[in-house]
Amino acid sequence: MVTEFRLGLALDGVGWHPAAWQASAVTEPAALFGGEYWAGWGRAGAEAGIGFITLEDGLTAQTEQFGAAPADPAARVRGRLDPVVTAAVLLSASTVGEVVVTRNVTHTGPFPIATQLASLAAIGPGRVAWRPQVSANARDAVVVGGTPTPELRPEDVHVPARIARRLRDLFRDAETHVRTVRDLWSTFPAGALGSGDEFWRPDRIGTTPGPLNVPVFATPPVVTLAHHALEPYRLAAAVADRVLLTPTGDHPLPRVLAAFRTVEGLTPDATPTEAYADIAVVLGDTDEHAHARLARLDREAGAPWTTDTGIFTGSPAGLAEVLTRWRDEHGLAGVRLRPAVLPEDAGRILRDVVPLLAG
């Protein structure tokens, strides 16, 4: 049994459901691009005792269907604050235990990412983690002017094996990318800083080309999101400290966890990886209330909500029961919850679910 079970809150705009904007109490789009909105969630998470908060990255505007152009401009708020900027706000304005920063590694070089994460670690030593993200959207390459990447069709998105097969080379590039970033972090550790008349201590600088121009006060752990397929599992086993697994009705947690551990055991030089579950949630006062909420959201969106992971729909007590069972029976280190709508679902997580898991 795991003695500490960490609960994470995945923040993205006003929620993960495509119709979240129509249902949210947030009415001003500008609020999502200001620091107070994010600082408020950081303070709320810290007060509730949440284990970590995750922030998303994206090079193109959000769409209703993967790979398509944005549809009705009034249907949702498009765009995001840069997750590094948002993380700096959360770390500075709250005492939240950890901020997991997603960063695209397909179209971003290792040196900028190493510098950005080291800078955040200087703001909040020991409170920063990094989620390297493989770009699965060919439109990203068009935006940045980079090398074209394999194109996923909408029907591929919910079939992890197709994703892995089409993006195999990108996952392998991501492994090299993560190792390079870690090498860069080793070139300028905090102990290399000088004192008095010394600016730094050259004998403590690493040998990797660089050195990094920002001291690393605490090396951020690496967190990967791994859908149930060989390539993302291999990437997680090879370079991640934690992995977010995506159980669904067709691929329940025991099966995906066993599959990941098998891949981990076959991966050369793999180190033990903490396993987390990653699920979307729609919460209500009762199970019936939650299902009614989801039905309304789906009507607003014009289609049932489908995601890359499972969707829990029910009461906070029911969710806490599921998570407790996963912890006790399968030894999960924690879970990341994606709230359908902010503030409603995130508020219920902080107010109702966290105390039930702590009790």
Tab-separated table of all heavy atoms in Angstrom, residues 107-140:
chain	number	residue	atom	x	y	z
A	107	HIS	N	9.131	20.841	-31.214
A	107	HIS	CA	9.440	22.084	-31.913
A	107	HIS	C	10.159	23.099	-31.032
A	107	HIS	O	10.210	24.277	-31.372
A	107	HIS	CB	8.149	22.703	-32.460
A	107	HIS	CG	7.415	21.817	-33.410
A	107	HIS	ND1	7.901	21.475	-34.653
A	107	HIS	CD2	6.226	21.178	-33.297
A	107	HIS	CE1	7.048	20.671	-35.265
A	107	HIS	NE2	6.026	20.477	-34.463
A	108	THR	N	10.712	22.665	-29.907
A	108	THR	CA	11.456	23.552	-29.012
A	108	THR	C	12.790	22.907	-28.687
A	108	THR	O	12.841	21.720	-28.358
A	108	THR	CB	10.672	23.807	-27.706
A	108	THR	OG1	9.346	24.211	-28.012
A	108	THR	CG2	11.353	24.893	-26.875
A	109	GLY	N	13.878	23.667	-28.758
A	109	GLY	CA	15.202	23.116	-28.507
A	109	GLY	C	15.450	22.827	-27.043
A	109	GLY	O	14.825	23.415	-26.157
A	110	PRO	N	16.385	21.920	-26.734
A	110	PRO	CA	16.688	21.578	-25.340
A	110	PRO	C	17.206	22.748	-24.520
A	110	PRO	O	16.868	22.874	-23.334
A	110	PRO	CB	17.747	20.478	-25.471
A	110	PRO	CG	17.565	19.922	-26.839
A	110	PRO	CD	17.117	21.072	-27.686
A	111	PHE	N	18.022	23.624	-25.119
A	111	PHE	CA	18.626	24.703	-24.337
A	111	PHE	C	17.577	25.669	-23.796
A	111	PHE	O	17.609	26.018	-22.603
A	111	PHE	CB	19.670	25.444	-25.172
A	111	PHE	CG	20.579	26.305	-24.342
A	111	PHE	CD1	21.762	25.796	-23.821
A	111	PHE	CD2	20.249	27.613	-24.049
A	111	PHE	CE1	22.592	26.589	-23.037
A	111	PHE	CE2	21.067	28.409	-23.271
A	111	PHE	CZ	22.253	27.895	-22.767
A	112	PRO	N	16.617	26.158	-24.609
A	112	PRO	CA	15.584	27.039	-24.035
A	112	PRO	C	14.781	26.368	-22.930
A	112	PRO	O	14.486	26.995	-21.905
A	112	PRO	CB	14.698	27.383	-25.237
A	112	PRO	CG	15.560	27.176	-26.432
A	112	PRO	CD	16.475	26.046	-26.076
A	113	ILE	N	14.435	25.099	-23.107
A	113	ILE	CA	13.660	24.412	-22.077
A	113	ILE	C	14.482	24.241	-20.813
A	113	ILE	O	13.991	24.467	-19.692
A	113	ILE	CB	13.161	23.054	-22.603
A	113	ILE	CG1	12.074	23.282	-23.660
A	113	ILE	CG2	12.629	22.189	-21.464
A	113	ILE	CD1	11.511	22.012	-24.255
A	114	ALA	N	15.743	23.848	-20.947
A	114	ALA	CA	16.594	23.699	-19.768
A	114	ALA	C	16.711	25.016	-19.019
A	114	ALA	O	16.657	25.060	-17.777
A	114	ALA	CB	17.980	23.202	-20.188
A	115	THR	N	16.858	26.121	-19.756
A	115	THR	CA	16.975	27.440	-19.127
A	115	THR	C	15.676	27.844	-18.444
A	115	THR	O	15.674	28.341	-17.310
A	115	THR	CB	17.362	28.487	-20.187
A	115	THR	OG1	18.581	28.096	-20.816
A	115	THR	CG2	17.551	29.856	-19.546
A	116	GLN	N	14.550	27.640	-19.125
A	116	GLN	CA	13.251	28.027	-18.559
A	116	GLN	C	12.951	27.258	-17.276
A	116	GLN	O	12.522	27.844	-16.270
A	116	GLN	CB	12.148	27.781	-19.589
A	116	GLN	CG	12.203	28.698	-20.790
A	116	GLN	CD	11.379	28.198	-21.951
A	116	GLN	OE1	10.759	27.126	-21.893
A	116	GLN	NE2	11.345	28.964	-23.030
A	117	LEU	N	13.168	25.953	-17.290
A	117	LEU	CA	12.874	25.159	-16.108
A	117	LEU	C	13.840	25.462	-14.969
A	117	LEU	O	13.463	25.455	-13.798
A	117	LEU	CB	12.911	23.673	-16.449
A	117	LEU	CG	11.610	23.037	-16.956
A	117	LEU	CD1	10.555	23.011	-15.860
A	117	LEU	CD2	11.066	23.710	-18.189
A	118	ALA	N	15.104	25.734	-15.306
A	118	ALA	CA	16.060	26.120	-14.266
A	118	ALA	C	15.669	27.452	-13.636
A	118	ALA	O	15.815	27.645	-12.417
A	118	ALA	CB	17.469	26.212	-14.865
A	119	SER	N	15.174	28.369	-14.449
A	119	SER	CA	14.729	29.662	-13.913
A	119	SER	C	13.547	29.479	-12.965
A	119	SER	O	13.481	30.113	-11.902
A	119	SER	CB	14.341	30.604	-15.056
A	119	SER	OG	15.442	30.860	-15.906
A	120	LEU	N	12.600	28.617	-13.347
A	120	LEU	CA	11.467	28.351	-12.454
A	120	LEU	C	11.924	27.679	-11.167
A	120	LEU	O	11.410	27.977	-10.078
A	120	LEU	CB	10.447	27.464	-13.165
A	120	LEU	CG	9.666	28.112	-14.305
A	120	LEU	CD1	8.773	27.081	-14.981
A	120	LEU	CD2	8.825	29.285	-13.794
A	121	ALA	N	12.907	26.783	-11.278
A	121	ALA	CA	13.416	26.115	-10.082
A	121	ALA	C	14.096	27.096	-9.136
A	121	ALA	O	14.177	26.855	-7.926
A	121	ALA	CB	14.380	24.998	-10.474
A	122	ALA	N	14.595	28.207	-9.673
A	122	ALA	CA	15.178	29.244	-8.808
A	122	ALA	C	14.086	29.991	-8.045
A	122	ALA	O	14.298	30.445	-6.920
A	122	ALA	CB	16.001	30.222	-9.646
A	123	ILE	N	12.898	30.124	-8.670
A	123	ILE	CA	11.771	30.775	-7.991
A	123	ILE	C	11.195	29.867	-6.920
A	123	ILE	O	10.897	30.305	-5.803
A	123	ILE	CB	10.673	31.148	-9.014
A	123	ILE	CG1	11.201	32.148	-10.029
A	123	ILE	CG2	9.430	31.708	-8.311
A	123	ILE	CD1	10.243	32.430	-11.166
A	124	GLY	N	11.038	28.588	-7.258
A	124	GLY	CA	10.468	27.625	-6.315
A	124	GLY	C	11.280	26.352	-6.268
A	124	GLY	O	10.869	25.336	-6.843
A	125	PRO	N	12.432	26.349	-5.610
A	125	PRO	CA	13.260	25.135	-5.555
A	125	PRO	C	12.471	23.946	-5.000
A	125	PRO	O	11.809	24.048	-3.969
A	125	PRO	CB	14.396	25.533	-4.610
A	125	PRO	CG	14.448	27.024	-4.668
A	125	PRO	CD	13.032	27.460	-4.855
A	126	GLY	N	12.527	22.830	-5.728
A	126	GLY	CA	11.827	21.642	-5.279
A	126	GLY	C	10.337	21.652	-5.545
A	126	GLY	O	9.632	20.707	-5.167
A	127	ARG	N	9.836	22.682	-6.222
A	127	ARG	CA	8.389	22.800	-6.463
A	127	ARG	C	8.054	22.798	-7.959
A	127	ARG	O	6.942	23.140	-8.334
A	127	ARG	CB	7.862	24.089	-5.830
A	127	ARG	CG	8.038	24.164	-4.315
A	127	ARG	CD	7.747	25.566	-3.800
A	127	ARG	NE	6.391	25.991	-4.154
A	127	ARG	CZ	6.032	27.269	-4.298
A	127	ARG	NH1	6.932	28.238	-4.150
A	127	ARG	NH2	4.779	27.570	-4.601
A	128	VAL	N	9.008	22.404	-8.793
A	128	VAL	CA	8.823	22.444	-10.247
A	128	VAL	C	9.060	21.058	-10.830
A	128	VAL	O	10.021	20.377	-10.465
A	128	VAL	CB	9.783	23.456	-10.902
A	128	VAL	CG1	9.596	23.466	-12.414
A	128	VAL	CG2	9.584	24.845	-10.326
A	129	ALA	N	8.175	20.637	-11.725
A	129	ALA	CA	8.371	19.415	-12.499
A	129	ALA	C	8.114	19.740	-13.961
A	129	ALA	O	7.499	20.761	-14.290
A	129	ALA	CB	7.442	18.302	-12.012
A	130	TRP	N	8.580	18.856	-14.833
A	130	TRP	CA	8.494	19.107	-16.277
A	130	TRP	C	7.821	17.938	-16.963
A	130	TRP	O	8.182	16.784	-16.745
A	130	TRP	CB	9.911	19.303	-16.832
A	130	TRP	CG	10.011	19.334	-18.338
A	130	TRP	CD1	9.140	19.912	-19.219
A	130	TRP	CD2	11.045	18.748	-19.138
A	130	TRP	NE1	9.580	19.729	-20.510
A	130	TRP	CE2	10.729	19.027	-20.493
A	130	TRP	CE3	12.209	18.040	-18.837
A	130	TRP	CZ2	11.548	18.600	-21.541
A	130	TRP	CZ3	13.023	17.609	-19.876
A	130	TRP	CH2	12.690	17.897	-21.219
A	131	ARG	N	6.818	18.264	-17.809
A	131	ARG	CA	6.197	17.239	-18.650
A	131	ARG	C	6.560	17.493	-20.099
A	131	ARG	O	6.003	18.382	-20.744
A	131	ARG	CB	4.682	17.225	-18.478
A	131	ARG	CG	4.029	16.116	-19.318
A	131	ARG	CD	2.569	15.917	-18.993
A	131	ARG	NE	1.683	16.840	-19.654
A	131	ARG	CZ	1.209	16.691	-20.901
A	131	ARG	NH1	1.588	15.658	-21.636
A	131	ARG	NH2	0.375	17.575	-21.411
A	132	PRO	N	7.518	16.753	-20.652
A	132	PRO	CA	7.840	16.896	-22.074
A	132	PRO	C	6.683	16.378	-22.914
A	132	PRO	O	6.131	15.309	-22.651
A	132	PRO	CB	9.095	16.036	-22.247
A	132	PRO	CG	9.065	15.075	-21.112
A	132	PRO	CD	8.363	15.749	-19.988
A	133	GLN	N	6.311	17.136	-23.918
A	133	GLN	CA	5.150	16.811	-24.745
A	133	GLN	C	5.575	16.615	-26.197
A	133	GLN	O	6.188	17.497	-26.800
A	133	GLN	CB	4.115	17.938	-24.657
A	133	GLN	CG	2.854	17.717	-25.472
A	133	GLN	CD	1.958	18.944	-25.435
A	133	GLN	OE1	2.365	20.021	-25.858
A	133	GLN	NE2	0.755	18.792	-24.906
A	134	VAL	N	5.263	15.450	-26.749
A	134	VAL	CA	5.490	15.189	-28.172
A	134	VAL	C	4.366	15.830	-28.963
A	134	VAL	O	3.196	15.714	-28.608
A	134	VAL	CB	5.550	13.674	-28.441
A	134	VAL	CG1	5.606	13.389	-29.936
A	134	VAL	CG2	6.748	13.055	-27.728
A	135	SER	N	4.702	16.543	-30.029
A	135	SER	CA	3.688	17.199	-30.841
A	135	SER	C	3.001	16.190	-31.741
A	135	SER	O	3.618	15.610	-32.634
A	135	SER	CB	4.305	18.313	-31.695
A	135	SER	OG	3.327	18.876	-32.538
A	136	ALA	N	1.697	15.995	-31.502
A	136	ALA	CA	0.930	15.065	-32.314
A	136	ALA	C	0.092	15.786	-33.353
A	136	ALA	O	-0.710	15.168	-34.041
A	136	ALA	CB	0.016	14.234	-31.406
A	137	ASN	N	0.273	17.085	-33.468
A	137	ASN	CA	-0.541	17.894	-34.380
A	137	ASN	C	0.347	18.475	-35.475
A	137	ASN	O	1.241	19.302	-35.194
A	137	ASN	CB	-1.229	19.017	-33.602
A	137	ASN	CG	-2.273	19.748	-34.419
A	137	ASN	OD1	-2.296	19.664	-35.644
A	137	ASN	ND2	-3.141	20.479	-33.742
A	138	ALA	N	0.127	18.066	-36.708
A	138	ALA	CA	0.954	18.544	-37.809
A	138	ALA	C	0.828	20.049	-38.002
A	138	ALA	O	1.726	20.683	-38.583
A	138	ALA	CB	0.585	17.810	-39.101
A	139	ARG	N	-0.269	20.660	-37.523
A	139	ARG	CA	-0.443	22.109	-37.661
A	139	ARG	C	0.609	22.865	-36.849
A	139	ARG	O	0.929	24.012	-37.154
A	139	ARG	CB	-1.844	22.519	-37.202
A	139	ARG	CG	-2.961	21.979	-38.101
A	139	ARG	CD	-4.343	22.278	-37.552
A	139	ARG	NE	-4.601	23.705	-37.507
A	139	ARG	CZ	-4.905	24.376	-36.400
A	139	ARG	NH1	-4.957	23.756	-35.242
A	139	ARG	NH2	-5.144	25.668	-36.446
A	140	ASP	N	1.152	22.234	-35.801
A	140	ASP	CA	2.188	22.897	-34.999
A	140	ASP	C	3.404	23.238	-35.847
A	140	ASP	O	3.994	24.316	-35.710
A	140	ASP	CB	2.610	21.999	-33.829
A	140	ASP	CG	1.523	21.853	-32.772
A	140	ASP	OD1	0.540	22.614	-32.824
A	140	ASP	OD2	1.668	20.976	-31.900
